[in-house]
Amino acid sequence: MSGAYRIKGAGRLTPARTARFTFDGKIHTALQGDTVASALLADGVHLIGRSFKYHRPRGFLSAGPEEPNALIDVSRDGSRKQPNVRATVQEVFDGAIVSSQNRFPSLSFDVGAVNDFLSPLFVAGFYYKTFMWPKAAWDKLYEPIIRRAAGLGNAPKEGDTDHYASRYAHCDVLVAGGGVAGLTAALAAAKTGAKVILADENPEVGGALRFDTGTTIDGINGYDWAQRTLAELKAMPNVQVLTRTTVFGYYNHNFIGLAERVTDHLATPGHAPRERLWQVRAKKVVLATGAIERHMVFANNDRPGIMLASAARTYLNQYGVTVGHNVAVYTAHDSAYETAFDLKHAGVEIAVIVDCRANPDAKLLDEARALGIEVLAGHSVYNTAGRLRVSSITVGRNGGSSKRKIKVDALVVSAGWTPSVHLFSQSRGKLTYDRENQRFLPDVHVQDCVSIGACNGTDDLAALIAEAASAGGGAVEFSASNAHVWTGGMIGAAEGAGEGDNVKAFIDFQHDVCAKDIRLAVREGMHSIEHIKRFTTNGMASDQGKMSNMHGLAIASEALGRDLPKVGLTTFRAPYTPVTFGTLVGHSRGKLFDPARKTPMHALEEAADATFEDVGNWKRAWFYPRAGEDMHQAVNRECKTVRETVGVFDASTLGKIEVVGPDAAKFLNLLYTNAWGTLKPGRCRYGIMTREDGFVYDDGVVGRLAEDRFHVTTTTGGAPRVLQHMEDYLQTEFPDLNVWLTSATEQWAVIAVQGPKAREVIAPLVDGIDLSPEAFLHMAIAEGTICGVPTRLFRVSFTGELGFEINVPADFGPAVWKEIAERAEAVGGCLYGTETMHILRAEKGYIIVGQDTDGTVTPDDAGLGWAVSKKKTDFVGIRGLQRPDLKREGRKQLVGLLPKNSHDVPEEGGQIVADPNQPKPMTMLGHVTSSYWSENLGRSIAFGLVAGGRARIGETLYIPLADKTIAVEVTDMVFFDKEGGRING
């Protein structure tokens, strides 16, 4: 019957505002603000899914994100479909199509339930011992069956038509959690003028106040106080409140990940994003994440209709829904009594309160007696009955033999509360064990954060408010009181689920892990909690064991005979709750998944019929074929033209970093192997950067513009990592240096003009710079104008010819390129691409880091020992270079290779051997790093990393290929213009 369990006058939803949805094809009517869980419970639906392994019927266990059972499929249409949504979190919207998962053919009749009868075959760890034989059955039988059985939901087959957004933000204080502690801390911080972000995963703030009717703050009901405080915070310009936003990850340097559900609850989302990823850098983080109620561990504690006491109270006081008409309570904690009292006041029959403690609080017993509720202290629930919903419980005195069966239609349970320390643990904070209350609490903070409230073990309301105000750094005071002070709690198995009881007493509901499975793992030799976790899969479900971890630890501790803190605690990892791929990916899909970077001159290069190659994300002009030319013909023509007249090359992809500050030269001295203090303004120097281990990391030309300003270039692929490398050392190793680093790669378009006529091409276009050979020497840098726009002009060459690299603001790049290209063409020059650039540099013996180096090459190995200062006492890599292995004889060294047959072009990567006829496996001396046909030399050339390479100059080595063996002579690396005169024109 529709709405049969909705109690008139209860809850905070408006009856006049409704929404219709379907669950497994049946239409249900909800109130706006309902979750799928509360709406189904209002209609008396408890059966929501099937467990993963045994396919047992499962109902709603919680009312929040810790829910392990109620995972559903929610869709709007074929392409807007999401599996494994928690029904306790998903708000109902009009037209929602909700389906249960992990069942066939239907939820009420699931053939997979046969696994429950076969459960003796599927004990914990069975997957480590089965499917081992016969070996041939794996591919044809075992693996296909396992793959079909894996997972709970079905991934959508169509592309996601929703869109997702992302935001970066900075704040002084980020508060995670909007309960009493979080609201108080946020208000206190905001009143100091700090920029505050308050995030809470629920649609409304309040935390436990959403269900707790016994809390009074400042003379008003706690929930009303929360809404009043929220309004005050929203009115403050320095506060941003984010509801429906989960703080899912706490990373280094107070970097916090948040997932905001923007339109998941709307029937017509419009053009707004579905979800938004927030990446927040906070000066201080306040964790007010509360605590999570634990279930009781007893036989058949997983039937639909059995749920947490706080969940039943939330459904009643927030949504106006009772979980049953004849409800029993099983508890080891005082909080469950208040659930019974609230249900009783709402007109719900309370069959019994079963308290496993011998002496519950007298005040609670008096109130229960006054309400006519039977309390069985010192008793336990030993079993339950009911196929698709609990119908009765079996109760007995602890240690007694007589049992009593009590008919119920719902059972609410509470074993106490576990502080939610997940985010604190993600921050790498250390926990301590509170033995008196059987819980782990934050202890040693690694980052600038503070834990407050229930997640910090602060139970007293007045103390909690004072703690929160102090954490916020402001002065706020509230009077507050609770109807009852909560005590009690237990972890581990209850009566009837002990060592000798062969019952299904579930700890991890989603993965069907029972108390006996933990004990079996210990008997099988699993003594580490991490091994026990993996053997049983306890805590490895999508809820990450939010309710099961403490129970599992306690049972393992008992079985091992070891103190619980010594058993240890499993690792809490991000995300705190599952985050959709869409949220994490955002706009980075389709063409934007791996976005192409294009230089400012890309359109002009396309117009010039360039063929492009991918270099990382960059689209670079590879060569410029003319009519009738193939690649080799075009490249040969370009190589000859550059050497004979002039060529124009787009070098915009080079990494560019501005290093500025009084200590800029000192900083570069520490990052590069060569010296920079002696470099005068207006001059450039080629630099080598090594890692701590002494191996080459990057190279490039560095120009000094002023005493305190350097223009650093890097390899195209190295720009991001070099900037990161610099920032890492500046912030962690050399924080005393007064230096600023700025990425300028996108700021400058770079046009390289190379060849004997390079000066002739650019001279008429340049103003403010004397380009005469005497005034503007090789390795000079100057600022002026070209074509009327500002330029940083380098006289450098990567071809061995007279060369200039013209840096202009990116927006002006195309115009300057066009002018230079026209002048070059007028004197017989041409545009050239990356293939020609590679050949020309190889002809001159210039290396490319990453191609001619492999991460194990030192500057000396690469023939660049001259670039390592002998006078410097410190730089990154100096100690690494002193290691004996890096100085030994016979290391692989970069050398030139000239094939004996001048028309043979070795394959790059080809292995080099001394004797091609030696038995296999052959002794490899090295490999080919670069290999080209040189039209200017009329022959092939190559570089190779060869063991003892320089000592082998003049020797003949061999490169065995699939179809032939190429004989090569080891030479030096300069093949063209050995004297180097052409660089001066």
Side-chain angles (χ1 to χ4, degrees):
M1 180 180 174
S2 180
Y5 289 81
R6 189 145 342 239
I7 297 179
K8 187 176 181 179
R12 301 184 177 97
L13 307 185
T14 304
R17 300 169 63 188
T18 61
R20 302 183 77 194
F21 71 103
T22 63
F23 175 63
D24 282 349
K26 183 179 179 181
I27 297 175
H28 294 266
T29 300
L31 302 184
Q32 287 190 20
D34 262 326
T35 62
V36 171
S38 65
L40 290 175
L41 287 170
D43 287 351
V45 177
H46 278 264
L47 179 62
I48 187 66
R50 293 279 178 163
S51 65
F52 173 62
K53 186 164 68 171
Y54 298 144
H55 283 248
R56 287 171 66 96
R58 289 287 164 79
F60 306 101
L61 184 63
S62 75
E66 65 272 19
E67 175 61 39
N69 291 335
L71 301 183
I72 55 173
D73 182 292
V74 179
S75 59
R76 298 175 186 267
D77 51 49
S79 64
R80 302 166 88 179
K81 165 187 168 73
Q82 183 181 335
N84 296 325
V85 178
R86 287 154 292 153
T88 53
V89 173
Q90 175 63 53
E91 296 170 72
V92 171
F93 57 86
D94 202 45
I97 304 167
V98 180
S99 303
S100 56
Q101 302 181 152
N102 201 42
R103 80 290 187 276
F104 177 82
S106 69
L107 185 56
S108 59
F109 179 76
D110 177 19
V111 296
V114 69
N115 287 4
D116 196 22
F117 296 101
L118 300 175
S119 59
L121 302 176
F122 300 138
V123 295
F126 79 96
Y127 28 79
Y128 294 120
K129 302 175 183 179
T130 53
F131 313 123
M132 307 296 286
W133 58 269
K135 187 175 181 181
W138 176 254
D139 290 337
K140 304 297 183 184
L141 180 63
Y142 300 148
E143 185 178 18
I145 292 174
I146 292 171
R147 286 192 178 278
R148 282 197 296 272
L152 292 172
N154 295 315
K157 296 179 180 178
E158 298 183 26
D160 189 354
T161 56
D162 285 315
H163 74 279
Y164 302 80
S166 63
R167 287 279 301 274
Y168 289 89
H170 290 78
C171 64
D172 297 312
V173 180
L174 184 140
V175 181
V180 176
L183 289 168
T184 302
L187 187 62
K191 287 189 174 182
T192 68
K195 185 178 179 181
V196 177
I197 293 177
L198 171 66
D200 191 271
E201 62 198 352
N202 293 302
E204 296 179 334
V205 298
L209 298 175
R210 296 169 70 238
F211 66 76
D212 191 349
T213 56
T215 299
T216 301
I217 304 177
D218 256 11
I220 62 175
N221 172 272
Y223 178 83
D224 294 334
W225 171 85
Q227 307 316 306
R228 187 186 74 182
T229 305
L230 174 66
E232 185 177 355
L233 287 168
K234 284 186 172 180
M236 303 175 79
N238 57 322
V239 176
Q240 183 162 23
V241 178
L242 299 173
T243 54
R244 296 187 178 91
T245 303
T246 301
V247 181
F248 68 81
Y250 195 147
Y251 306 96
N252 286 340
H253 308 296
N254 274 7
F255 186 67
I256 312 296
L258 294 79
E260 180 186 6
R261 306 185 304 276
V262 182
T263 60
D264 270 353
H265 60 294
L266 299 179
T268 53
H271 298 292
R274 182 184 161 210
E275 295 178 344
R276 179 179 290 115
L277 174 66
W278 289 80
Q279 298 177 73
V280 180
R281 185 79 70 181
K283 189 177 293 184
K284 179 180 182 178
V285 176
V286 177
L287 299 176
T289 48
I292 298 170
E293 193 171 23
R294 297 186 299 273
H295 61 285
M296 296 290 289
V297 180
F298 59 99
N300 294 307
N301 59 340
D302 65 325
R303 300 192 193 278
I306 302 175
M307 69 174 61
L308 298 174
S310 61
R313 206 174 179 200
T314 300
Y315 291 124
L316 176 68
N317 295 326
Q318 180 68 20
Y319 302 106
V321 173
T322 178
V323 298
H325 291 315
N326 184 32
V327 181
V329 177
Y330 181 29
T331 186
H333 193 266
D334 293 346
S335 60
Y337 281 80
E338 294 202 52
T339 299
F341 300 158
D342 284 357
L343 286 168
K344 185 68 174 179
H345 285 303
V348 178
E349 183 64 30
I350 302 299
V352 66
I353 297 176
V354 181
D355 194 329
C356 65
R357 299 171 296 171
N359 298 297
D361 182 72
K363 183 180 176 183
L364 293 172
L365 294 176
D366 290 342
E367 187 167 345
R369 191 176 301 112
L371 291 170
I373 301 173
E374 180 184 10
V375 178
L376 296 176
H379 284 64
S380 295
V381 174
Y382 283 83
N383 206 346
T384 67
R387 192 174 75 86
L388 299 180
R389 179 172 173 180
V390 65
S391 60
S392 68
I393 60 174
T394 300
V395 179
R397 183 176 296 279
N398 295 342
S401 58
S402 63
K403 302 292 187 290
R404 171 185 167 191
K405 196 173 216 179
I406 302 173
K407 288 189 175 298
V408 299
D409 63 357
L411 173 64
V412 300
V413 299
S414 177
W417 298 78
T418 301
S420 181
V421 295
H422 303 72
L423 292 176
F424 174 79
S425 296
Q426 289 177 23
S427 77
R428 294 175 292 118
K430 303 300 180 185
L431 300 170
T432 187
Y433 187 62
D434 175 6
R435 193 176 302 276
E436 180 181 353
N437 295 294
Q438 297 180 306
R439 59 191 179 183
F440 284 95
L441 298 174
D443 185 21
V444 179
H445 291 72
V446 175
Q447 304 194 50
D448 190 359
C449 73
V450 59
S451 298
I452 59 174
C455 73
N456 195 42
T458 307
D459 300 320
D460 179 75
L461 186 57
L464 180 150
I465 290 173
E467 179 180 71
S470 174
V476 293
E477 293 184 5
F478 302 112
S479 61
S481 64
N482 282 327
H484 297 279
V485 176
W486 293 348
T487 61
M490 68 169 292
I491 53 176
E495 286 281 330
E499 177 71 40
D501 300 303
N502 186 28
V503 297
K504 288 190 175 80
F506 288 92
I507 300 173
D508 187 313
F509 288 84
Q510 195 175 122
H511 276 183
D512 282 329
V513 181
C514 301
K516 62 182 181 180
D517 295 327
I518 303 293
R519 299 186 186 104
L520 174 62
V522 173
R523 290 198 302 273
E524 293 273 3
M526 308 297 157
H527 294 172
S528 161
I529 193 61
E530 291 290 354
H531 292 162
I532 293 171
K533 172 182 176 179
R534 283 154 181 80
F535 187 84
T536 63
T537 70
N538 182 46
M540 293 176 65
S542 62
D543 65 327
Q544 288 198 58
K546 290 180 175 61
M547 288 182 288
S548 66
N549 276 339
M550 290 304 296
H551 285 316
L553 279 174
I555 295 168
S557 170
E558 180 184 13
L560 289 165
R562 192 183 305 165
D563 198 25
L564 191 144
K566 293 182 179 179
V567 174
L569 192 63
T570 55
T571 304
F572 297 113
R573 294 183 174 88
Y576 171 68
T577 53
V579 180
T580 64
F581 287 118
T583 300
L584 298 174
V585 172
H587 296 295
S588 301
R589 55 180 178 163
K591 291 183 178 179
L592 297 179
F593 178 73
D594 191 24
R597 299 177 73 182
K598 298 178 180 179
T599 71
M601 285 79 80
H602 185 86
L604 292 176
E605 292 171 312
E606 282 185 317
D609 295 323
T611 297
F612 292 89
E613 68 168 335
D614 293 326
V615 181
N617 289 104
W618 287 104
K619 295 289 185 183
R620 300 197 71 181
W622 194 9
F623 57 95
Y624 294 84
R626 292 179 179 174
E629 288 183 334
D630 61 18
M631 175 181 174
H632 297 293
Q633 292 168 330
V635 170
N636 289 342
R637 172 182 50 78
E638 291 172 8
C639 288
K640 294 286 286 184
T641 302
V642 174
R643 294 281 185 221
E644 293 171 0
T645 55
V646 68
V648 181
F649 175 70
D650 184 355
S652 302
T653 63
L654 285 175
K656 294 171 278 291
I657 301 170
E658 201 91 351
V659 180
V660 181
D663 296 323
K666 186 176 180 181
F667 176 70
L668 292 178
N669 261 329
L670 291 166
L671 266 292
Y672 284 87
T673 63
N674 36 357
W676 300 96
T678 57
L679 186 67
K680 303 298 182 184
R683 298 294 295 165
C684 303
R685 183 167 290 163
Y686 173 76
I688 292 287
M689 182 180 287
T690 56
R691 303 186 310 237
E692 287 281 9
D693 53 16
F695 297 130
V696 174
Y697 189 60
D698 203 78
D699 70 344
V701 172
V702 179
R704 190 168 194 170
L705 295 162
E707 289 294 330
D708 61 350
R709 183 179 295 271
F710 291 81
H711 180 119
V712 176
T713 67
T714 74
T715 56
T716 292
R721 59 182 169 84
V722 170
L723 181 61
Q724 167 66 25
H725 181 75
M726 287 182 165
E727 281 285 5
D728 184 26
Y729 278 93
L730 180 60
Q731 294 182 31
T732 62
E733 301 296 328
F734 315 128
D736 55 311
L737 298 185
N738 199 0
V739 178
W740 292 268
L741 306 174
T742 306
S743 173
T745 301
E746 304 280 0
Q747 173 69 28
W748 299 100
V750 183
I751 304 165
V753 184
Q754 305 279 309
K757 296 186 177 181
R759 184 181 288 108
E760 179 183 340
V761 168
I762 70 168
L765 306 176
V766 175
D767 290 313
I769 303 172
D770 183 353
L771 294 183
S772 64
E774 300 79 16
F776 202 56
L777 302 173
H778 179 58
M779 299 300 280
I781 180 175
E783 294 185 292
T785 62
I786 184 168
C787 302
V789 302
T791 184
R792 286 181 180 175
L793 184 62
F794 289 73
R795 186 180 161 190
V796 293
S797 175
F798 200 45
T799 62
E801 301 292 332
L802 172 65
F804 301 88
E805 286 186 4
I806 302 157
N807 290 251
V808 295
D811 288 347
F812 297 105
V816 176
W817 171 273
K818 193 173 181 180
E819 287 283 340
I820 291 173
E822 288 176 355
R823 286 193 53 79
E825 187 177 358
V827 298
C830 70
L831 306 179
Y832 70 96
T834 54
E835 188 66 17
T836 295
M837 176 270 290
H838 279 277
I839 295 171
L840 296 176
R841 65 90 193 177
E843 290 173 352
K844 284 296 297 177
Y846 300 152
I847 74 164
I848 292 180
V849 171
Q851 177 169 334
D852 298 309
T853 64
D854 63 359
T856 65
V857 173
T858 68
D860 183 68
D861 296 339
L864 301 171
W866 56 267
V868 180
S869 173
K870 304 297 188 295
K871 298 179 180 179
K872 289 184 1 177
T873 58
D874 194 19
F875 60 81
V876 175
I878 191 170
R879 281 169 290 282
L881 287 171
Q882 300 309 311
R883 290 183 294 160
D885 186 64
L886 270 64
K887 302 169 74 174
R888 65 173 171 80
E889 295 291 325
R891 283 186 57 81
K892 289 183 180 179
Q893 296 171 331
L894 203 58
V895 291
L897 303 172
L898 285 178
K900 296 288 188 176
N901 182 340
S902 63
H903 291 278
D904 283 340
V905 180
E907 290 185 10
E908 292 180 353
Q911 296 296 306
I912 302 171
V913 300
D915 178 8
N917 299 313
Q918 64 184 286
K920 296 178 181 179
M922 296 184 181
T923 301
M924 305 298 178
L925 299 178
H927 69 281
V928 178
T929 63
S930 296
S931 180
Y932 309 100
W933 170 261
S934 168
E935 187 70 9
N936 289 304
L937 294 168
R939 63 161 300 122
S940 56
I941 58 174
F943 294 164
L945 276 171
V946 177
R950 289 194 288 273
R952 294 180 181 272
I953 289 178
E955 289 185 16
T956 298
L957 301 176
Y958 300 89
I959 304 169
L961 301 176
D963 57 344
K964 62 180 176 181
T965 297
I966 298 177
V968 295
E969 180 185 349
V970 181
T971 70
D972 65 63
M973 293 172 59
V974 181
F975 302 110
F976 183 86
D977 185 29
K978 289 182 178 290
E979 297 74 22
R982 296 176 66 92
I983 207 164
N984 292 311

